[in-house]
Amino acid sequence: MRSQKREFTIGALSKYSSVNIETIRYYEKIKIMPSPPRSEGGYRLYNDSHGRRLSFIRRSRELGFSLEEIRGLLTLVDDKSYTCAQVENITVNHLNTTRRKIADLQKLEVVLDGMVSKCHGGHVPDCPVIDALSL
Amino acid sequence: MRSQKREFTIGALSKYSSVNIETIRYYEKIKIMPSPPRSEGGYRLYNDSHGRRLSFIRRSRELGFSLEEIRGLLTLVDDKSYTCAQVENITVNHLNTTRRKIADLQKLEVVLDGMVSKCHGGHVPDCPVIDALSL
DNA sequence: CTTGAGTCTGTAGTTCCTACAGGGTTTATC
DNA sequence: GATAAACCCTGTAGGAACTACAGACTCAAG
């Protein structure tokens, strides 16, 4: 189960992380992903830690965080010289928006689930979906 | 508490819904928001239901749904002539991604919460945030 | 009836990707 | 070891979802 030191190319990384090759290169350009070592011929060579970092970015994006928010969290991973006050500032903020998102999604879940149930019951239901997240 | 038939301009709608004026006009252009009636002089005049719809869109965007996904859900609100099969198709899909997002956010919540606690304890914690959402 | 805040249309810029084009590299096959 | 298929390289141009003007018009307050 321990992680081998195997390397893989950008295509493999793309498949593993479900991030497009072009997007991976874009992330390197804007320095949210590090520049990996290269092969003789100039191919990028990645390892497992690149894969984990990239998956984290992808899923965070799907959860509606901006690249700048993600970059903020990742500095905590990259730079070990932070004070507690700085860590807290970034983390508490992220935690608050995370909790707000969970609450919103749960409201949405209730409404959608209700619609599916009514459909199973044979009625075409009204769609009160807007009311779940308005205001 | 019953809703008055009051009208308001785009600026008021923007404040109420926390959506930029330009974005509201953009949403009208791409037909995800309806064209509202106009005043004599050509000003857009909105009512409460525009406000609710717009808030729904904003919050859905913050939760990482694309405008096309949101448009899909909104057709259920706009068009009352759907069959149950069609409603179910759209709704079940949205419900699944909603649940996946909740699960991911909860994992993130645990990790962030752990970091805040450790910080309160006086230690600058490691940041295992990537592990929460990798793979 | 003027003044200033608000709105109009239209266009150009930003962020975050996505899709080529034209060329070099790796690897599997003969 | 030649050669093709599959892969990767850089660079640029396009798309989605905004955002920020510019220049002109409207409206409400004094």
Side-chain angles (χ1 to χ4, degrees):
Chain A
M1 258 317 194
R2 96 205 61 149
S3 69
Q4 300 282 97
K5 220 186 286 178
R6 61 187 167 220
E7 291 174 324
F8 37 89
T9 62
I10 199 167
L13 180 67
S14 170
K15 265 190 192 157
Y16 167 79
S17 64
S18 306
V19 175
N20 278 349
I21 289 178
E22 288 91 347
T23 306
I24 298 173
R25 288 196 282 248
Y26 170 72
Y27 285 167
E28 183 180 336
K29 199 164 120 201
I30 65 167
K31 294 181 202 301
I32 199 162
M33 283 294 290
S35 302
R38 303 279 185 126
S39 73
E40 296 276 301
Y43 281 25
R44 273 166 260 250
L45 295 175
Y46 295 98
N47 60 38
D48 290 340
S49 83
H50 292 107
R52 283 197 301 279
R53 187 185 181 95
L54 191 53
S55 292
F56 173 78
I57 295 172
R58 195 207 84 223
R59 298 179 87 188
S60 292
R61 290 287 299 133
E62 286 171 5
L63 297 172
F65 295 105
S66 70
L67 285 180
E68 283 319 299
E69 289 174 303
I70 297 165
R71 197 196 290 278
L73 264 191
L74 286 175
T75 56
L76 297 182
V77 177
D78 297 335
D79 186 343
K80 303 292 187 190
S81 68
Y82 275 88
T83 68
C84 248
Q86 291 171 306
V87 173
E88 257 205 314
N89 191 28
I90 295 171
T91 308
V92 169
N93 257 319
H94 215 89
L95 186 55
N96 284 337
T97 66
T98 299
R99 286 183 170 144
R100 221 175 300 128
K101 281 172 196 237
I102 290 172
D104 277 357
L105 284 166
Q106 282 173 341
K107 285 185 225 160
L108 196 56
E109 186 190 13
V110 168
V111 173
L112 292 172
D113 197 43
M115 288 185 71
V116 173
S117 301
K118 277 181 201 146
C119 255
H120 265 104
H123 299 284
V124 180
D126 267 8
C127 187
V129 99
I130 280 181
D131 301 326
L133 297 184
S134 59
L135 217 196
Chain B
M1 259 319 196
R2 95 205 62 148
S3 69
Q4 300 282 96
K5 221 186 286 179
R6 55 180 174 225
E7 291 174 325
F8 37 88
T9 61
I10 200 169
L13 180 67
S14 170
K15 266 190 193 158
Y16 167 80
S17 63
S18 308
V19 175
N20 278 350
I21 289 177
E22 288 91 345
T23 307
I24 297 173
R25 289 196 282 248
Y26 169 71
Y27 284 166
E28 183 180 337
K29 199 164 121 201
I30 65 167
K31 294 183 202 303
I32 200 163
M33 283 293 290
S35 302
R38 302 279 186 128
S39 72
E40 296 276 300
Y43 281 25
R44 273 166 261 250
L45 295 175
Y46 295 98
N47 60 38
D48 290 340
S49 82
H50 291 107
R52 282 197 302 278
R53 187 184 181 95
L54 191 53
S55 292
F56 173 78
I57 296 171
R58 194 206 83 222
R59 297 179 86 187
S60 292
R61 291 287 299 132
E62 286 172 3
L63 298 171
F65 295 106
S66 71
L67 285 180
E68 284 319 300
E69 289 174 302
I70 297 166
R71 198 196 291 279
L73 264 191
L74 286 176
T75 57
L76 296 182
V77 178
D78 298 335
D79 185 344
K80 303 292 186 190
S81 68
Y82 276 88
T83 67
C84 247
Q86 292 172 306
V87 172
E88 257 206 314
N89 192 26
I90 296 171
T91 307
V92 169
N93 258 319
H94 215 90
L95 187 55
N96 285 337
T97 65
T98 298
R99 287 184 170 143
R100 221 175 302 126
K101 282 172 196 235
I102 291 172
D104 278 356
L105 284 166
Q106 283 173 340
K107 284 185 225 158
L108 196 56
E109 186 190 12
V110 168
V111 173
L112 292 172
D113 197 42
M115 287 185 71
V116 173
S117 301
K118 278 182 200 141
C119 254
H120 266 101
H123 299 281
V124 181
D126 266 8
C127 188
V129 101
I130 280 181
D131 300 325
L133 297 184
S134 60
L135 221 192

